[in-house]
């Protein structure tokens, strides 16, 4: 669980969304697959925030209906080979660390059985317009304990399927 591979086109979509909404937070879902040994994550796509999302200076609330519908469409379109990996969001002018709210959200994602992902990931783009930097984590250990671990992941970009 040391790396997250992100398709360059997907990363560019995230950057475009981040630049468009800055200085407000934005985000969405990461979609793709896990390596066979479940140690690496491959993000082949993303779902944006949706039209009814709420963007603030220190918070972001997605359009959950839109995201659920898009995730279902992608899953069906890819015959269940591509699925939900976790979330991504921005920290405009903020630190590249998980906030307490981010950690709680990641634990809640792991606890929710309908997400079908035991160890979800979270990518944070921090910085400012045209100067974003990525940082990613994956939850480790039981999300039912307050002090579960968050593994810092290397972010690697790729042009074609690794």
């Amino acid at each position: 669980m040391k790396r997250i591979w992100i398709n360059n086109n997907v990363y560019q979509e995230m950057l475009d969304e981040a630049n468009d909404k800055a200085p407000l937070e934005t985000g969405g879902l990461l979609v793709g697959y896990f390596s066979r040994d479940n140690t690496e994550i491959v993000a082949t796509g993303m779902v944006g925030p949706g039209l009814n999302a709420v963007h603030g200076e220190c918070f972001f609330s997605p359009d959950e209906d839109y995201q659920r519908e898009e995730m279902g469409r992608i899953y069906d379109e890819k015959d269940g080979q591509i699925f939900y990996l976790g979330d991504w969001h921005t920290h405009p002018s903020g630190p590249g660390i998980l906030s307490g709210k981010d950690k709680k959200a990641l634990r809640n994602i792991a606890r929710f059985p309908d997400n079908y992902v035991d160890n979800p990931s979270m990518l944070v783009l921090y910085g400012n317009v045209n100067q974003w930097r990525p940082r990613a984590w994956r939850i480790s250990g039981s999300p039912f304990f307050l002090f579960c671990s968050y593994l810092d992941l290397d972010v690697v970009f790729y042009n074609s399927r690794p």
Side-chain angles (χ1 to χ4, degrees), residues 59-134:
F59 73 93
F60 159 68
S61 181
D63 180 344
E64 291 178 4
D65 291 337
Y66 165 78
Q67 289 185 333
R68 196 173 302 112
E69 188 175 302
E70 278 299 292
M71 193 63 248
R73 183 190 61 74
I74 291 167
Y75 184 83
D76 290 344
E77 184 179 281
K78 300 295 183 179
D79 295 323
Q81 300 299 307
I82 301 297
F83 43 87
Y84 174 68
L85 302 171
D87 290 358
W88 71 273
H89 69 280
T90 60
H91 284 181
S93 301
I97 61 171
L98 289 177
S99 68
K101 249 186 341 187
D102 294 338
K103 289 177 180 179
K104 182 178 179 183
L106 202 48
R107 282 194 313 272
N108 287 339
I109 292 166
R111 290 175 180 159
F112 190 64
D114 288 349
N115 285 331
Y116 303 104
V117 59
D118 295 329
N119 302 102
S121 59
M122 184 171 283
L123 176 82
V124 172
L125 296 178
Y126 66 103
N128 222 321
V129 175
N130 296 319
Q131 295 179 344
W132 300 103
R133 291 181 293 191

Side-chain angles (χ1 to χ4, degrees), residues 38-68:
N38 200 28
T39 60
E40 301 200 9
I41 302 164
V42 181
T44 61
M46 70 94 160
V47 175
L51 292 176
N52 294 319
V54 179
H55 307 270
E57 289 183 14
C58 297
F59 73 93
F60 159 68
S61 181
D63 180 344
E64 291 178 4
D65 291 337
Y66 165 78
Q67 289 185 333
R68 196 173 302 112

Side-chain angles (χ1 to χ4, degrees), residues 3-5 33-35 39-43 85 121 138 153:
R3 254 182 290 214
I4 182 168
W5 297 80
Y33 60 94
F34 297 101
S35 62
T39 60
E40 301 200 9
I41 302 164
V42 181
L85 302 171
S121 59
R138 188 171 185 194
L153 303 174

